[in-house]
């Protein structure tokens, strides 16, 4: 061991110096330590660093007879002996700070006064010894040798720490366990190593040990902080739970009365408070708040507008044309609300939510102009829920705003009026509600006036397995005959069937552009995997004067036949994967597009009708176990074979949400069913339960009764992390308990515990379980 240290001593010293300096920097930026103690620890780290640095320097220049070498060898040895005593001196100050906190006294114990004075004397005497040769001397080759009084230099670093330990020992029961361990190591490790050093000449193991224990001092201090923070958090969470129980009792008695009083002021506001509260609670749930926190936010949102009682009736529903005086009166509403709610002292967050819900994220709100995270979290949630409720509610001067307008306003307000995190969640809720409603027909424009590039684009025309034909006419616009003039089509996917170029809109609508194609065969490919364009015989034009597109899609391949008065092109586009929808947006440059019509050709596209130009995108090229792997590209588009459910059945599998999936329900599902062949959709198929592992309760028409239980455990990381983990891939396990015609399905995934009890109506039915999902790859399926 000594030979190894001797051989690599300089490298070890260098790395230890770097480590100790890093620790000093980490201490500098930490915010959890007492300011005085932090600076003492920084001094300890730097003292140990310089001690080892100068010790290394003395070895580097040993035997160097240049003026520089002679100077550095002498100054380095002087500082090594000086800093050895200084280490004891600084540690003495640290001990005093520790004992002062545990004793609650300012007076320094006498033993620490003595050890501090001895350490100071050691520093002074190290300077004297340097000039007298008492500790060491240098020969004519500039090589260090021990002097006659060398052992005296060990008195301070050996005796003083022992004295210091007696003070630590006296108060050991009042010192945190981790801190006590660190102090003991700091005292005795250098002493033990120092004794060894006497017999190990030429190896600076003492100074190395000093750096190591200095680093350990930081590590144990940090661990002690963690323990303290965790204990404080446990106490705080217990207090919060007790407060929420009391709050709920009070809210149940007062909420109805408050809301009724407020809504009597304005008939148009009836039901608005409840909508805002429901929305705020949904935001909190998706954000990962506990059930108690969601209840708190619900009631704070329900009551946040009670201050309207103090506003004159003629201002309650006035439009935006308010005078400055009227505006100042209206701005008093959150203040009045907070004053009313402040009487509920059991839970002050009610007042907080009401007072600050009109603050804006950019600091331009009222009443206090708070900005960003300065605004209490509960108020940031209520602010966006309130804005959504106000836009969706009719007013005396307007109807409820349409979906697209509301969504646009929310996106515009992200980062300015609203917290971006909660805006993202609100937009997702809005999209979810929109998709759950019956899809209203989006009207396709009949004409487009296209001047500049992409200044006018039609709403997206959907492309699927039912072949469509799009027909329109186009003529040059403007008097400049030399300018480029031509129509084109944009291929894209978007929630709202609109082409977007604004980054916020792109993110919000999950807009993805595959490419743009002109009728002369030119194209731009963006996210398409491959584009193949071939020109057909011009004779097939047969005098056509209009433009037409025949379009169809099967899985991840799109087929187009684009006909213009001059050309016919056959186009095949390979999409990123099978989950993508495709829309065609008609546009152009310097042209007028008229008489746009869309009609079905009556042709149904099946597998093999569109020639594949690239292979499938597969995410199931993994281990295959008892059941073949399955890739589910869309909602229940594929599933595993049925597995007979018996008591004690256990299914384990690996799942990975597909890369472009973005919603919490893009995850595996469990289907309980019966059929004659044991497969989903088989003859005599009956579905009993559909269980999504993200905890959604799916209502299906079944021949069974289901009792669904979902709990978010303390280990639930929040939806963002939940989705990230699912994209990275997780291991899932499903357990089945069968008692007669009752089947209990139990699974837990990333803190979401699900228990579903299915009672099948038919006695003796053979029930099967299958895995499916939405935009997810299911692999390594094991049955036990």
């Amino acid at each position: 061991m000594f030979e190894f240290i001797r051989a690599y001593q300089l490298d070890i010293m260098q790395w230890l110096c770097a480590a100790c300096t890093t620790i000093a920097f980490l201490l500098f930026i930490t915010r959890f330590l007492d300011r005085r103690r932090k600076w003492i620890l920084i001094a300890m780290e730097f003292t140990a660093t310089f001690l080892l640095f100068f010790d290394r320097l003395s070895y580097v220049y040993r035997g160097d007879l240049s003026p520089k070498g002679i100077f550095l060898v002498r100054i380095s040895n002087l500082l090594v002996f000086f800093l050895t005593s200084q280490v004891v001196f600084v540690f003495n100050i640290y001990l005093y700070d520790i004992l002062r906190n545990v004793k609650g006294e300012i007076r320094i114990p006498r033993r620490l006064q003595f050890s501090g004075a001895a350490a100071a004397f050691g520093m002074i005497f190290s300077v004297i010894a340097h000039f007298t040769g008492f500790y060491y001397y240098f020969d004519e080759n500039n090589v260090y040798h021990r002097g006659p009084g060398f052992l005296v230099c060990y008195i301070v670093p050996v005796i003083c720490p022992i004295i210091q330990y007696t003070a630590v020992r006296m108060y050991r029961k009042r010192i945190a366990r981790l801190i006590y361990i660190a102090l003991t190591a700091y005292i005795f490790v250098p002493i033990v190593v120092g004794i060894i050093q006497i017999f190990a000449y030429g190896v600076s193991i003492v100074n190395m040990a000093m750096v190591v224990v200095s680093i350990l001092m930081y590590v144990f201090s940090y661990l002690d902080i963690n323990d303290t923070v965790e204990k404080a958090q446990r106490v705080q969470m217990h207090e919060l739970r007790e407060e929420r129980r009391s709050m709920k009792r009070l809210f149940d008695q007062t909420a109805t009365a408050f809301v009724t009083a407020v809504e009597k002021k304005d008939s148009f506001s009836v039901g608005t408070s409840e909508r805002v509260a429901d929305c705020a609670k949904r935001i909190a749930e998706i954000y990962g708040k506990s059930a108690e926190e969601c209840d708190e936010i619900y009631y704070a949102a329900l009551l946040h507008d009670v201050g309207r009682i103090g506003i004159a009736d003629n201002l309650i529903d006035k439009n935006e044309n308010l005078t400055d005086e009227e505006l100042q009166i209206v701005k008093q509403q959150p203040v009045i609300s907070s004053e009313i709610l402040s009487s509920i002292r059991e839970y002050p967050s009610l007042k907080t939510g009401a007072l600050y819900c009109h603050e804006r994220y950019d600091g331009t709100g009222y009443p206090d102009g708070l900005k960003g995270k300065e605004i209490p979290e509960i108020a940031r949630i209520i602010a966006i829920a309130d804005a959504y409720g106000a836009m969706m509610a009719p007013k005396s001067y307007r109807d409820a705003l349409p979906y697209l307008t509301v969504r646009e306003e929310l996106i515009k307000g992200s980062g300015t009026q609203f917290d971006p995190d909660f805006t993202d969640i609100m937009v997702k809720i809005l999209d979810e509600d929109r998709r759950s409603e019956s899809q209203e027909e989006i009207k396709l424009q009949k004409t487009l006036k296209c001047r500049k590039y992409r200044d006018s684009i039609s709403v997206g025309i959907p492309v699927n397995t039912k072949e469509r034909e799009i027909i329109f006419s186009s003529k040059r616009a403007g008097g400049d005959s030399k300018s480029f003039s031509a129509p084109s089509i944009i291929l894209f996917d978007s929630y709202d069937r609109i082409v977007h170029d604004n980054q916020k809109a792109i993110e919000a609508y999950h807009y993805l552009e595959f490419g743009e194609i002109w009728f002369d065969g030119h194209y731009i490919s963006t996210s398409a995997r491959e584009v193949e364009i071939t020109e057909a015989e011009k004779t097939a034009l047969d005098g056509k004067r209009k433009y037409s597109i025949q379009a169809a899609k099967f899985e991840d391949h799109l087929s187009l036949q684009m006909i213009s008065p001059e050309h016919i092109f056959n186009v095949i586009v390979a999409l990123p994967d099978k989950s993508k929808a495709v829309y065609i947006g008609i546009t152009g440059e310097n042209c007028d597009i008229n008489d746009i019509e869309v009609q079905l050709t009556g042709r149904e596209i099946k597998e093999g009708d569109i020639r594949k130009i690239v292979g499938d995108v597969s995410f199931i090229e993994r281990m295959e176990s008892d059941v073949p792997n399955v890739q589910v590209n869309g909602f229940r588009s594929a599933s595993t074979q049925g597995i007979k459910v018996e008591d004690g059945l256990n299914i384990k599998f690996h799942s990975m949400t597909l890369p472009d999936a973005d919603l919490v329900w893009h995850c595996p599902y469990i289907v309980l069913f019966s059929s004659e062949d044991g497969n989903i959709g088989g003859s005599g198929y009956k579905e009993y339960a559909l269980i999504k592992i993200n905890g959604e309760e799916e209502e299906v028409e079944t021949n069974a009764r289901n009792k669904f239980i979902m709990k978010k455990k303390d280990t639930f990381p929040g939806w963002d992390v939940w989705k990230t983990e699912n994209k990275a891939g997780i291991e899932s396990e499903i357990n089945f308990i069968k008692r007669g015609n009752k089947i209990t399905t139990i699974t837990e995934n990333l803190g979401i515990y699900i228990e579903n009890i299915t009672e099948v109506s038919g006695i003796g039915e053979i029930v099967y379980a299958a895995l499916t999902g939405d935009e997810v790859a299911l692999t390594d399926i094991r049955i036990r």
Side-chain angles (χ1 to χ4, degrees), residues 347-366:
Y347 210 92
S349 63
L350 283 178
K351 173 184 175 181
T352 301
L355 181 61
Y356 297 115
C357 64
H358 290 278
E359 299 287 359
R360 292 173 58 99
Y361 202 75
D362 61 3
T364 61
Y366 61 92

Side-chain angles (χ1 to χ4, degrees), residues 524-539:
I524 298 173
S525 176
T526 48
S527 59
R529 286 193 290 155
E530 189 65 66
V531 178
E532 182 184 279
I533 298 181
T534 57
E535 187 170 8
E537 291 292 333
K538 292 183 180 180
T539 55

Side-chain angles (χ1 to χ4, degrees), residues 628-648:
N629 297 340
V630 173
Q631 182 166 312
V632 189
N633 294 302
F635 179 74
R636 297 186 65 177
S637 62
S639 61
T640 67
Q641 65 191 49
I643 303 164
K644 185 178 178 180
V645 176
E646 296 178 335
D647 186 38

Side-chain angles (χ1 to χ4, degrees), residues 4 36 60 88 114 132 218 231 244 292 310 371 410 415 418 426 438 447-448 464 502 505 657 697 706 714 773-774:
F4 176 82
R36 173 186 171 88
V60 171
V88 177
F114 174 80
T132 60
Y218 166 78
K231 290 176 183 176
R244 282 165 176 73
E292 292 82 4
K371 183 177 181 180
L410 292 175
F418 311 119
M426 184 69 250
S438 57
T447 62
L448 296 170
N464 49 44
N502 176 273
T657 301
E697 183 176 6
N706 286 282
D714 293 337
D774 193 354

